[in-house]
Amino acid sequence: MSDLRELYQEVIFDHYKAPRNCHELAGANHRAEGHNPLCGDAITVYLRIEDGTIKDAAFIGNGCAISTASASLMTEALKGKKIAEVEHISEDFRRMVTDASMAPHPGLGKLEVLAGVREFPVRVKCATLAWHTLQAALRGQRSPVTTE
Amino acid sequence: MSFTTDLQREAVVTPRGCAQWRDDFPILRGRVNGKPLVYLDNAATTQKPQAVIDAESRYYAHDNANVHRGVHTLSQRATAAYEAARVKIQRFINAAAAEEIVLVRGATEAINLVAQSYARPRLQPGDEIVISAMEHHSNIVPWQLVGEQTGAVLKVVPINDAGELELDAFRDLLGPRTRLVAITHLSNALGSIVPVESVIALAHDRGVPVLVDGAQAISHLPVDVRALGCDFYAFSGHKIFGPTGIGVLYGRTELLDAMPPYQGGGDMISSVTFDKTEYNDLPYKFEAGTPNIAGAIGLGAALDYVSAIGMQVIAAHEHDLLTYATKAVSGIPGLRIIGTARRKASILSFTLDGMHPHDVGTILDCQGVAIRAGHHCSMPVMQRYGIRGTARASFALYNTREEVDALVAGIRKAQEMFHR
């Protein structure tokens, strides 16, 4: 059960019940839709990017506690970051949730709270849905992405 | 809320009976995440009794050879075992002849076979195929594909809020352009038993053939294809305690005879030249290539196992379990049962307020309880109820009331975690 408590930490519940930046974004100049076919969860990520910096980020969607908390924490982490930094954080996040041998990564800040996902391989796609969708938004991809 | 099956429950199922059955399934002795396994995902696949595992192993250890064409002893033994399995299947569903049993990979392949080989050559633009609103994707997508290929269209019979087929609406949907009805016998998402006898009678009145998707029904209801009167019946071995990779298409001889082959290759031919190829007799016309011989033998052993217990006995036990489980979860605040038909079997789908089925599934898994979470390959059904997915527990002959108690305890624990 301790693994479960690692996965479902207080912060996760907090971000699930009261997700941050959970709304459409007026003035968004990037957006993308993402979809987890495993469970039917869907998300839309909105970004307002100016001068290579993410000025604002938001999302809407319905999903499990892991995917919602991940999206919420992601939008908090993105604001004010340069795109190059965001790519770094994305890659670090992906490694954190998939690689059981990885040591904690200080650069991820609050996102560390999702480290427990790596003990639950079937839930990795929940954690990465928002991030896949973020990538699509950055690249200006038209069609919805999936976690497959 | 109560429901029933139409079976005469003469057999009394004792706890000892069920305990004996559990002993037959080695995997049920196992533990997951440090807890005893409580396997409640039978609608996804069933566990296998030692007899089925042994039958496949024995085949590979003693009788393995390719079937039908060999001239040596092992190939004769393999052929005899394979064809004996076909006869067991024929008897299990009371088909008129073994040639009406086509061995395929599973129910999905069986339905695709009928779509491509029966429907496609016949359908004209504007022709209609009728399905229901509670089908699994495998009984929707093959018809959509054939619709794209031929210009035929799908008509969907609605279900009511309880998840019951609206027979009046079905009657109204049958029209002069209807060419086929494809319908589930037992809904994998809702557990509703569909009155296929009535569906078939109405369809046959209009000269329309009926394919029944029996993937779920085969292990929970007695299936007699002649009593039902269906034209095609499809099911998978792995849902009735048999191996994966083997399934059955039952088709009436008259229909199968008139259908062109589905896949070309060895075994489905009687002679081949570059000018002309003659096709084999039934059922071999539809069995191209080396079949899943071990799988067929394993399926035969599974059907023997079920027959020895008796479907009536199994259904009575499962009915008791589902009643017990339904009552138990009805007492949980915030839980909504999805699928409340008056006639149900095996399946208990539900949602929990403020909790995603995925999270419920993970928390239950940590307690050794295996359920399924999501859309269950029935996205249209989920849409009908305005939800994205459910948590689904599905019972089989080896499940017990204690396991239902574990499910309920797990749900309460999940709620505790989420509503602190």
Side-chain angles (χ1 to χ4, degrees), chain B residues 178-303:
Chain B
T178 313
R179 296 289 169 250
L180 181 73
V181 173
I183 194 116
T184 182
H185 199 166
L186 175 60
S187 160
N188 75 305
L190 305 174
S192 320
I193 299 174
V194 175
V196 292
E197 303 87 338
S198 308
V199 168
I200 292 164
L202 285 168
H204 283 180
D205 267 349
R206 303 287 211 125
V208 175
V210 180
L211 174 143
V212 178
D213 175 4
Q216 294 296 327
I218 194 70
S219 61
H220 305 297
L221 305 174
V223 173
D224 179 334
V225 292
R226 278 189 282 179
L228 291 177
C230 56
D231 300 280
F232 299 104
Y233 198 93
F235 68 91
S236 300
H238 73 94
K239 295 212 208 273
I240 186 169
F241 319 108
T244 47
I246 190 81
V248 175
L249 172 67
Y250 157 79
R252 290 196 296 106
T253 303
E254 173 200 328
L255 292 174
L256 292 178
D257 257 338
M259 283 156 60
Y262 175 49
Q263 293 180 331
D267 258 16
M268 47 72 70
I269 47 89
S270 60
S271 74
V272 179
T273 67
F274 285 119
D275 292 327
K276 183 174 168 47
T277 286
E278 307 252 331
Y279 300 127
N280 209 340
D281 297 332
L282 292 177
Y284 310 108
K285 182 172 74 168
F286 294 106
E287 296 184 3
T290 300
N292 183 356
I293 305 164
I297 290 167
L299 174 54
L303 298 183

Side-chain angles (χ1 to χ4, degrees), chain B residues 56-229:
Chain B
E56 277 204 301
S57 301
R58 215 171 20 244
Y59 166 73
Y60 281 123
H62 299 292
D63 296 333
N64 179 58
N66 208 328
V67 293
H68 297 145
R69 290 284 191 262
V71 93
H72 57 82
T73 301
L74 280 184
S75 74
Q76 284 160 36
R77 285 219 297 260
T79 303
Y82 180 72
E83 293 301 332
R86 191 192 306 276
V87 170
K88 286 181 186 182
I89 296 164
Q90 175 210 343
R91 290 203 183 120
F92 191 81
I93 61 173
N94 195 31
E99 69 186 17
E100 295 184 318
I101 305 298
V102 178
L103 286 161
V104 288
R105 227 171 48 191
T108 300
E109 183 162 66
I111 297 170
N112 275 279
L113 194 164
V114 175
Q116 290 299 309
S117 201
Y118 174 78
R120 185 174 177 184
R122 281 177 176 65
L123 291 175
Q124 301 295 318
D127 277 351
E128 294 166 2
I129 301 167
V130 174
I131 63 172
S132 86
M134 54 181 159
E135 299 302 321
H136 184 284
H137 296 164
S138 66
N139 202 23
I140 302 174
V141 182
W143 310 115
Q144 290 175 320
L145 287 174
V146 92
E148 281 165 28
Q149 290 158 349
T150 62
V153 297
L154 278 188
K155 294 281 188 202
V156 182
V157 185
I159 55 176
N160 63 21
D161 288 339
E164 295 163 330
L165 192 78
E166 305 221 23
L167 265 181
D168 288 337
F170 172 66
R171 190 184 285 111
D172 293 340
L173 268 181
L174 287 171
R177 300 299 305 263
T178 313
R179 296 289 169 250
L180 181 73
V181 173
I183 194 116
T184 182
H185 199 166
L186 175 60
S187 160
N188 75 305
L190 305 174
S192 320
I193 299 174
V194 175
V196 292
E197 303 87 338
S198 308
V199 168
I200 292 164
L202 285 168
H204 283 180
D205 267 349
R206 303 287 211 125
V208 175
V210 180
L211 174 143
V212 178
D213 175 4
Q216 294 296 327
I218 194 70
S219 61
H220 305 297
L221 305 174
V223 173
D224 179 334
V225 292
R226 278 189 282 179
L228 291 177

Side-chain angles (χ1 to χ4, degrees), chain B residues 331-342:
Chain B
I332 298 177
L335 186 147
R336 178 182 162 212
I337 296 174
I338 307 291
T340 50
R342 279 158 297 173

Side-chain angles (χ1 to χ4, degrees), chain B residues 1 3 5 40-45 134 136 162 184-193 215-221 239 318-319 321-323 325-326 329 337-341 343-350 372 376 378 381-382 390-396 399 407:
Chain B
M1 191 221 89
F3 58 87
T5 63
L40 301 179
D41 195 17
N42 294 288
T45 199
M134 54 181 159
H136 184 284
T184 182
H185 199 166
L186 175 60
S187 160
N188 75 305
L190 305 174
S192 320
I193 299 174
Q216 294 296 327
I218 194 70
S219 61
H220 305 297
L221 305 174
K239 295 212 208 273
E318 289 180 0
H319 178 77
L321 262 186
L322 186 57
T323 309
T326 305
V329 306
I337 296 174
I338 307 291
T340 50
R343 293 180 65 219
K344 278 188 68 174
S346 173
I347 283 159
L348 186 57
S349 255
F350 58 92
R372 185 146 291 246
H376 315 299
S378 301
V381 179
M382 299 298 130
T390 68
R392 180 190 71 184
S394 47
F395 304 107
N399 293 125
L407 169 68

